[in-house]
Amino acid sequence: MTQKHDNLIGGQWLAGSNYTPNINPSNLADVIGDYTQASAEQLDAAVQAARAAFPAWSTSGIQARADALDKIGTEILARREELGTLLSREEGKTKAEGIGEATRAGNIFKFFAGECLRLTGEVVPSVRPGIGVEITREPVGVIGIITPWNFPIAIPAWKIAPALAYGNCVVMKPADLVPGCAWALAEIISRSGIPAGVFNLVMGRGSVIGDPLVNHPGVDAISFTGSQGVGSRIAQQCAVNLKKVQLEMGGKNPQVILDDADLAQAVELSVQSAFFSTGQRCTASSRLIVTEGIYPKFIEAMKARMAGLKVGDALAAGIDIGPVSSLSQLEQDMSYVDIGQAEGAVLLAGGERLKLSTDGFFMAPALLTDTTADMRINREEVFGPVASIIRVKGYEEALLEANNTPFGLAAGIATTSLKHATHFKRHSQVGMVMVNLPTAGVDYHVPFGGRKGSSYGSREQGRYAQEFFTIVKTAYTLA
Ligand code: NAP
C-alpha cells in the first residue's frame, strides 16, 4: 500500500478526482507514492482561497513573512539529505545532485526571508513646487506558478519564495511527472505559520490544471518554466487577458573551446555541463564549438573521459549519471542520436540504451562529431545526455556559431586569453555567460534567465525577482 498525497487548498488537504503513481526512473518497480489529480472545481477553489487570503497577507507585517520563509528554509536545510534522496528517486539525478538541489531550495527561502526586510522605495522631488513624490512597490495579487520536471524542488522554491516574500498569494501546479518534491515542499509551507489559502498546491496534468490556471480570471500573473512551445502559448493567453507573465524556457547552449584552453579543464567542464544531471538542464551545453588547433586532442580526451563515466541507479554510490526521467524523454534523446547520424554526424561515443540490474531509463551519454550548425541536432533542444561538436577555424567563427541559435540562455568559453574571454562576455547573445566554468551551475542570489527564445519577461532570482512579483506605484502628495 503506497502513501496517498493530496492537494493543499485553503489550508485543507483534499483528494482529487483520482491518484497516479510516482515511479522511480532508476527502478520502474519502485513506486514512490500515489499523488492525486486536482479537478477543475478544485483549481477554482484554490484560486478563490488565494484571493480570499490576499488582502490580509499583502498587508501583513514584513517580520511575519520573513519569519515564515526563514522557518521553511531552515527545515529544508535540516532535511536536505531526505529531500535530496526523494528528488533523486523521483527525477533521476544523482543523490549528490539531489541533495545539492534541496540545499539550493533551502538557501533560496533563507535569501528571500532577508529580502522581505530589504524592500525599499524612493522619495524624489517633484518638478512642481510643494509636491512630494514617493515610488513604492506593492504585491501583484494571486500568482499562478507552473514548473517543469527537471528541478522539482529548486524551481518551485525560486518562484514561491519571492512571490510570498513580496506579499503575493500562490496557486502552484508542479510537473505531473515529479509531484513528490512539490508535495513535500507544500507540506513544509503548510506548517510554517503562513495563513491558510496564501499557498495552494494543485497537482495534475498541464492540459487539465495548467491551462485553466493560466486562463482563470482570479489569477493576476503567471510564472512559468518549461518548454518553448508551452511557454509561447501561455504568453499568448496572458496577453489576451492582460496578465503579467514570466517565462523561462529551453536552451541550446554553446560551450566554446579555444586553442589556448587548458585541455583538462575544458574536457571536465564540457562533460560536466553536457552530461551531468543526465543533460536534463536548461543550461546544459549541447553544442561544443571547438577551434581546429585543439580539436584532435580534445576529441581524444573527451572519448577517454566519457569511457570512465558511470551511469546507474541515481541513489547508488559512485554514479556520475542517473537515468533519463521518463520513457518519452528517453525515446526523444535516442531519436536525436539517429537524427544526427542521418544528417551526417559521426557518433563518437555512447547513444545506446543500457540494460542494468534494475529496469530503468538508462542511456549512455552520446557525443556526435562532424556536425554543422544547420543540422537539427544543433538547432533543436534535445534535453538529454546528447551533445555535438562543431569544428571552427578560430575565435571569430566560434562566436558566430555560438550565437547562431534561436535560443539565448547560457554560453561558456574555455580559454586562457583575457582578450577573447572579455570579448565573449560582451558579445555572446545570452542571459548568462561563463568563462572557464560549465554553462550549468549558477548562484542562487543573482539573476537567472536568458534572451531570444529562452526567456520572456523579467528576470528570476536574486533581488531582480521583485520586478515580476511587485507592481510599482507612484504617489503624489501636496505638502
Ligand atoms: P513542459 O512540457 O513545457 O511543461 C512544463 C510545465 O507546464 C509542466 O508543469 C506541464 O504540465 C505544464 N503544461 C503543459 N501544458 C500546459 C498547458 N497547456 N497550459 C499550462 N501548463 C501546461 O516542459 P517540461 O518537459 O516539464 O520541462 C522541460 C523544459 O523546461 C525544457 O525545455 C527545459 O529547457 C525547460 N526548462 C527551462 C528552465 C529555465 O529556467 N530556462 C529551467 C528548467 C527547465 P505536465 O507536467 O502535465 O506536462
Side-chain angles (χ1 to χ4, degrees):
M1 207 35 200
T2 50
Q3 195 191 336
K4 287 189 160 34
H5 301 80
D6 292 333
N7 298 306
L8 179 63
I9 298 170
Q12 307 283 313
W13 292 102
L14 299 174
S17 46
N18 61 323
Y19 290 87
T20 53
N22 186 0
I23 309 279
N24 178 350
S26 297
N27 178 3
L28 307 186
D30 177 27
V31 178
I32 296 156
D34 288 321
Y35 291 79
T36 202
Q37 302 269 305
S39 62
E41 292 72 30
Q42 284 182 322
L43 171 69
D44 186 56
V47 175
Q48 300 306 342
R51 285 238 74 86
F54 181 68
W57 179 247
S58 60
T59 52
S60 61
I62 54 174
Q63 188 64 55
R65 286 188 222 157
D67 289 347
L69 293 187
D70 189 65
K71 194 171 172 197
I72 296 165
T74 300
E75 180 165 347
I76 294 171
L77 291 176
R79 293 172 54 193
R80 67 179 92 183
E81 170 111 17
E82 173 210 335
L83 292 167
T85 302
L86 168 66
L87 197 165
S88 298
R89 200 171 152 213
E90 74 170 348
E91 195 272 348
K93 59 186 67 169
T94 64
K95 190 170 168 187
E97 291 170 332
I99 294 170
E101 187 182 329
T103 303
R104 181 186 181 89
N107 285 332
I108 287 167
F109 273 96
K110 291 271 190 186
F111 175 83
F112 281 105
E115 284 298 279
C116 296
L117 310 180
R118 284 191 288 263
L119 191 63
T120 58
E122 290 176 78
V123 176
V124 297
S126 168
V127 293
R128 292 170 285 166
I131 292 177
V133 183
E134 293 159 30
I135 304 162
T136 52
R137 288 184 178 273
E138 294 183 356
V140 177
V142 174
I143 313 281
I145 291 179
I146 301 177
T147 55
W149 50 261
N150 66 323
F151 281 92
I153 195 161
I155 293 181
W158 82 52
K159 292 178 187 296
I160 297 166
L164 299 179
Y166 299 125
N168 302 284
C169 294
V170 169
V171 177
M172 175 175 150
K173 190 212 96 64
D176 196 40
L177 186 67
V178 289
C181 285
W183 188 90
L185 181 55
E187 199 277 325
I188 292 170
I189 294 172
S190 75
R191 291 183 284 99
S192 65
I194 286 177
V198 170
F199 174 82
N200 303 273
L201 175 77
V202 284
M203 297 178 285
R205 302 283 313 157
S207 52
V208 179
I209 293 301
D211 190 63
L213 177 61
V214 171
N215 290 303
H216 199 293
V219 174
D220 300 291
I222 295 288
S223 181
F224 166 86
T225 299
S227 62
Q228 206 185 51
V230 175
S232 166
R233 191 181 146 169
I234 288 176
Q236 291 172 42
Q237 292 168 326
C238 287
V240 169
N241 295 304
L242 302 177
K243 281 184 192 178
K244 213 172 178 188
V245 63
Q246 171 183 61
L247 312 172
E248 285 300 339
M249 299 167 288
K252 195 71 202 171
N253 308 298
Q255 173 63 59
V256 170
I257 318 289
L258 295 188
D259 287 353
D260 62 14
D262 175 319
L263 180 65
Q265 184 186 62
V267 167
E268 203 47 46
L269 63 85
S270 297
V271 165
Q272 223 271 26
S273 53
F275 303 126
F276 282 17
S277 296
T278 325
Q280 298 174 152
R281 294 186 283 197
C282 51
T283 48
S285 311
S286 48
R287 294 182 298 138
L288 307 179
I289 300 169
V290 186
T291 50
E292 56 192 9
I294 199 171
Y295 186 87
K297 283 182 287 182
F298 181 74
I299 297 280
E300 279 315 304
M302 282 295 285
K303 205 172 166 184
R305 178 69 179 91
M306 288 177 69
L309 290 174
K310 288 199 173 59
V311 177
D313 188 316
L315 296 177
I319 290 304
D320 297 306
I321 298 170
V324 174
S325 294
S326 67
L327 180 60
S328 63
Q329 186 62 52
L330 178 69
E331 287 170 350
Q332 176 166 313
D333 299 346
M334 309 273 294
S335 79
Y336 271 100
V337 176
D338 294 341
I339 289 167
Q341 292 180 93
E343 290 176 311
V346 174
L347 184 61
L348 182 77
E352 71 277 13
R353 186 167 182 177
L354 299 173
K355 289 262 174 250
L356 302 180
S357 57
T358 52
D359 185 16
F361 303 128
F362 302 106
M363 175 180 173
L367 186 59
L368 296 150
T369 64
D370 299 81
T371 74
T372 53
D374 55 332
M375 292 179 175
R376 282 183 65 194
I377 193 77
N378 282 323
R379 300 211 69 76
E380 298 168 14
E381 185 183 48
V382 179
F383 214 56
V386 181
S388 53
I389 298 191
I390 303 174
R391 181 180 176 145
V392 290
K393 285 197 168 51
Y395 170 73
E396 285 72 23
E397 192 185 346
L399 177 64
L400 277 175
E401 285 304 345
N403 289 336
N404 182 9
T405 170
F407 294 102
L409 190 57
I413 188 166
T415 182
T416 50
S417 158
L418 179 62
K419 179 181 150 198
H420 288 139
T422 306
H423 192 270
F424 190 77
K425 279 193 279 185
R426 170 64 188 87
H427 293 281
S428 58
Q429 294 163 358
V430 292
M432 296 173 290
V433 59
M434 317 289 177
V435 177
N436 295 323
L437 286 166
T439 51
V442 294
D443 287 1
Y444 64 84
H445 68 306
V446 291
F448 178 99
R451 61 170 83 173
K452 294 171 33 183
S454 291
S455 296
Y456 185 82
S458 48
R459 285 281 181 270
E460 297 198 278
Q461 301 194 60
R463 69 185 160 79
Y464 283 69
Q466 64 180 242
E467 282 306 322
F468 182 74
F469 291 104
T470 64
I471 289 176
V472 171
K473 180 178 276 176
T474 310
Y476 296 85
T477 309
L478 181 63

